[in-house]
């Protein structure tokens, strides 16, 4: 295909994404599924991934910021959509007018949502978020009764409808971690309090990908899956993607920009952190930290070139890095596969995470806008 970007591309397999959504729905048969598409769908492209997730039966989408949610509306998405990361002065009115469900973790947020609903003469759909132990966003249990009572009062005056009650796990990716059961217990208590105060939410939810895959009692009415939608396991402890019928969606490919013979003792890349051990062939992979390849991959990142795994030789630069092919042959234009599903012998995002001391979430999400996304496996009949 002539349009294929030559330097580098992130190939995003929407057929795999749809199959992942179906596998996750089967894993949580009693719950609805929210596909979390924050941060440009973990780097995969929010609009095409949202559309594919909807086609596979995601009745909800989730984003962090209201701007991300509004961008999905602007692209034509009309289904249920929750966003949860608000700051004072945020676009409450725009979100309410766009039928976005907004998450509230504190009284200031409820006040702003109510004021915006009054301004535009609409009823805001709000979901109250509890901090059951994550210690990040969410209303602390001590403040929950006040938030619940105020939300109930706002329902009575018609400015809000509480559509959901929810929370988020700290350690669901470490199955058996004692905080998991502790959070579930707090969550059930806070749900009961809210229900006693008269709230009748459509959805109660706490499960992220690892809880969806490993903890059925956490499924409630809705599961919020992010990383698993993209075919990646939340952690090695949870298992391999294939154990759950999941397949990685993104493949990061570059075309070799140079292949050359050099003598032994030749320094490679900034700081000469790699010296060729003997006469060899060096291949230049034209992606670097500006593309989201971690600089921490210097000397450690794996990449499939000329049929074998190679290791980044020396320092990852802004736009490029080098691999030592030893005695093997390659030509400019040949493919270098940084990561993918792994079934053509290439490394996976998990392999990169291990090599650089991070998590696969970060590996895919950090691939920058300079790398064109190329979509394959679009459904027939979507007009795209
Ligand atoms: C990112 C996020 C998720 C999805 O988490 P995964 O581990 O990727 O499934 C769910 N809920 C909230 C609040 C999040 O921020």
């Amino acid at each position: 295909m002539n349009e294929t970007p030559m330097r580098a591309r992130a190939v995003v397999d929407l057929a795999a994404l749809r199959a992942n959504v179906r596998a996750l729905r089967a894993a949580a048969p009693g719950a609805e599924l929210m596909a979390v598409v924050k941060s440009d769908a973990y780097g995969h492209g929010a609009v095409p991934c949202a559309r594919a997730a909807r086609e596979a039966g995601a009745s909800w989408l989730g984003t962090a910021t209201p701007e991300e949610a509004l961008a999905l509306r602007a692209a034509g998405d009309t289904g249920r959509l929750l966003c949860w990361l608000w700051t004072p002065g945020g676009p409450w009115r725009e979100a309410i007018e766009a039928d976005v469900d907004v998450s509230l973790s504190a009284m200031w947020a409820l006040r702003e949502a109510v004021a915006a609903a009054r301004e535009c003469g609409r009823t805001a759909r709000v979901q109250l978020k509890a901090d059951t132990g994550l210690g990040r966003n969410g209303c602390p249990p001590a403040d929950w009764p006040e938030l619940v009572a105020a939300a109930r009062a706002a329902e009575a005056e018609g400015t809000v409808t509480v559509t959901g009650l929810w929370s988020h796990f700290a350690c669901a990716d470490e199955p058996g971690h004692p905080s998991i059961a502790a959070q579930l217990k707090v969550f059930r208590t806070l749900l009961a309090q809210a229900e006693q105060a008269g709230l009748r939410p459509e959805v109660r939810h706490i499960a992220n990908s690892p809880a969806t895959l490993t903890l059925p009692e956490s499924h409630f009415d809705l599961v919020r899956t992010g990383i698993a939608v993209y075919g990646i396991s939340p952690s090695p402890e949870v298992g391999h993607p294939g154990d759950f019928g999941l397949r990685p969606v993104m493949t990061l490919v570059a075309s070799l920009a140079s292949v050359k013979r050099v003598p032994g003792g030749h320094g490679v890349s900034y700081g000469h952190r790699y010296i060729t051990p003997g006469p060899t062939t060096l291949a230049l992979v034209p992606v670097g930290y500006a593309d989201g390849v971690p600089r921490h991959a210097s000397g450690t990142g794996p990449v499939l070139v000329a049929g074998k795994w190679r290791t980044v030789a020396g320092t990852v630069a802004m736009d490029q890095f080098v691999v030592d092919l030893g005695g093997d042959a390659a030509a400019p234009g040949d493919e270098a596969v940084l990561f993918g599903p792994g079934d053509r012998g290439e490394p996976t995002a998990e392999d990169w995470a291990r090599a650089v001391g991070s998590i696969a979430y970060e590996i895919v999400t950090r691939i920058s806008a300079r790398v064109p996304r190329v979509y394959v496996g679009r459904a027939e009949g979507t007009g795209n």
Side-chain angles (χ1 to χ4, degrees):
M1 200 165 74
N2 290 335
E3 302 159 19
T4 304
M6 290 316 297
R7 178 186 70 96
R9 57 199 177 275
V11 180
V12 174
D13 181 354
L14 295 174
L17 187 146
R18 289 192 301 275
N20 294 337
V21 167
R22 293 195 179 101
L24 292 165
R25 287 177 63 207
E32 294 192 62
L33 185 127
M34 174 187 290
V36 178
V37 293
K38 64 190 180 189
S39 194
D40 206 24
Y42 294 42
H44 295 65
V47 169
C49 290
R51 210 168 274 163
R54 291 287 196 204
E55 286 163 8
S59 49
W60 287 80
L61 297 176
T63 69
T65 70
E67 290 79 9
E68 291 170 332
L70 291 169
L72 290 170
R73 287 293 191 243
D77 186 84
T78 55
R80 297 301 291 276
L81 169 56
L82 173 68
C83 66
W84 49 75
L85 192 56
W86 288 88
T87 38
W92 298 101
R93 181 170 176 168
E94 292 84 341
I96 294 164
E97 287 179 332
D99 269 327
V100 173
D101 286 58
V102 301
S103 174
L104 311 176
S105 294
M107 288 295 293
W108 68 261
L110 176 62
R111 282 192 291 268
E112 294 203 2
V114 164
R118 283 196 189 121
E119 240 174 73
C120 61
R122 301 274 296 256
T123 302
R125 282 205 292 248
V126 306
Q127 301 210 2
L128 306 184
K129 183 176 191 187
D131 182 355
T132 54
L134 173 60
R136 202 175 65 177
N137 209 351
C139 178
D143 300 344
W144 185 248
E146 184 194 12
L147 183 63
V148 161
R152 183 71 195 106
E155 276 193 335
E157 68 165 29
T159 44
V160 311
T161 309
V162 178
T163 57
L165 300 173
W166 70 296
S167 188
H168 195 39
F169 281 119
C171 307
D173 57 344
E174 298 174 51
H177 192 286
S179 69
I180 297 170
Q183 283 196 258
L184 275 174
K185 188 161 179 248
V186 174
F187 189 50
R188 290 204 175 89
T189 303
L190 298 183
L191 288 178
Q193 284 177 9
E195 281 158 22
Q196 272 154 29
L199 296 183
R200 296 290 175 268
E202 279 173 64
V203 285
R204 300 157 301 162
H205 49 108
I206 188 169
N208 52 4
S209 292
T212 300
L213 295 171
T214 65
L215 197 68
E217 76 250 48
S218 71
H219 292 172
F220 292 91
D221 307 308
L222 173 69
V223 295
R224 302 186 311 271
T225 50
I227 197 71
V229 167
Y230 309 103
I232 293 170
S233 171
S235 68
E237 295 95 301
V238 168
H240 291 289
D243 301 341
F244 305 102
L246 302 172
R247 178 177 170 79
V249 169
M250 184 190 290
T251 300
L252 182 61
V253 187
S255 301
L256 298 183
S258 154
V259 178
K260 64 188 178 191
R261 291 291 297 171
V262 296
H266 201 298
V268 173
S269 192
Y270 293 131
H272 280 178
R273 298 227 156 69
Y274 182 80
I275 307 286
T276 56
T280 191
T281 301
L282 298 179
L284 181 63
V285 182
V287 288
Y289 60 79
D291 301 291
V293 177
R295 193 167 178 278
H296 272 98
S298 302
T300 67
V303 54
L304 180 70
V305 182
K308 287 186 202 154
W309 280 34
R310 321 285 172 172
T311 301
V312 174
T315 303
V316 174
M318 186 181 291
D319 314 301
Q320 41 196 307
F321 66 83
V322 173
V323 293
D324 185 341
L325 300 184
D328 297 333
D334 283 359
E335 275 196 350
V337 187
L338 283 81
F339 58 82
D343 52 7
R344 290 188 303 152
E346 74 278 18
T348 61
E350 281 94 337
D351 292 318
W352 273 80
R354 199 173 313 115
V356 305
S358 183
I359 56 175
Y361 292 73
E362 187 187 3
I363 299 301
V364 290
T365 303
R366 62 182 290 135
I367 300 308
S368 76
R370 190 165 77 172
V371 178
R373 271 59 175 174
V374 174
Y375 294 95
V376 299
R378 284 186 195 272
E380 287 173 15
T382 59
N384 290 287

